[in-house]
Amino acid sequence: MHNYSITNTKIRITTVSILAIISAYFTFILNPAIALLPISLQPLSPFAAFGVIFFIFNNWIWKILPLSRLLSIPNFNGTWKGRCCTQYEGRNLTIPVTLKIKQSFTQLIVDAGFGASCSESLVANVDNINPFRAKLV
């Protein structure tokens, strides 16, 4: 998978900042409870908490429908079927297309199958200027 850009980058900056604040708050609440345990454990680092929280958010939580709409990042995961219309040597051709998209909050890959050939994405952009109709470009 590769990173993908979004037209409104402020969304990602704000989201990561909120996750960092949640991580700090989480360690502030959890570390006193860890100290009360009868075994000796090191306090939880805010950086470790951020890593775990970001991993969970990046792979699963962002896909939850109300949250993905709030973030204006559509979930393109899945297999999509369609047709590609083209011209070759003066003839109109319609070729069946299958797109397999795997996406996280920060990364995306598109595998495309066009009958006898296939292709893989190297770059991608989610154009989310229109909140009612985001596009994968």
Side-chain angles (χ1 to χ4, degrees):
M1 288 189 9
H2 54 77
N3 294 334
Y4 67 95
S5 64
I6 54 176
T7 306
N8 184 357
T9 57
K10 188 176 180 183
I11 292 169
R12 281 218 181 116
I13 294 167
T14 303
T15 302
V16 171
S17 300
I18 290 170
L19 292 175
I21 292 167
I22 290 170
S23 302
Y25 183 74
F26 183 71
T27 57
F28 179 75
I29 297 298
L30 193 60
N31 279 338
I34 291 173
L36 295 174
L37 293 174
I39 58 174
S40 177
L41 292 174
Q42 293 292 323
L44 182 62
S45 160
F47 297 110
F50 176 79
V52 170
I53 290 171
F54 185 78
F55 178 80
I56 293 168
F57 180 86
N58 186 50
N59 290 298
W60 298 288
I61 294 177
W62 77 274
K63 296 178 191 179
I64 297 170
L65 192 56
L67 187 56
S68 66
R69 282 197 181 144
L70 179 67
L71 295 171
S72 298
I73 300 177
N75 181 359
F76 291 112
N77 277 297
T79 301
W80 302 80
K81 295 187 182 274
R83 294 182 306 268
C84 178
C85 299
T86 186
Q87 275 191 337
Y88 179 70
E89 295 180 352
R91 297 181 320 204
N92 291 333
L93 299 173
T94 302
I95 303 167
V97 177
T98 301
L99 298 177
K100 293 180 182 174
I101 302 174
K102 185 173 180 186
Q103 177 187 9
S104 70
F105 181 67
T106 57
Q107 295 185 321
L108 176 130
I109 190 163
V110 178
D111 283 321
F114 303 92
S117 68
C118 59
S119 179
E120 181 180 304
S121 64
L122 299 176
V123 295
N125 177 51
V126 174
D127 182 353
N128 58 355
I129 295 295
N130 180 351
F132 302 107
R133 190 168 190 204
K135 295 179 273 186
L136 180 59
V137 183

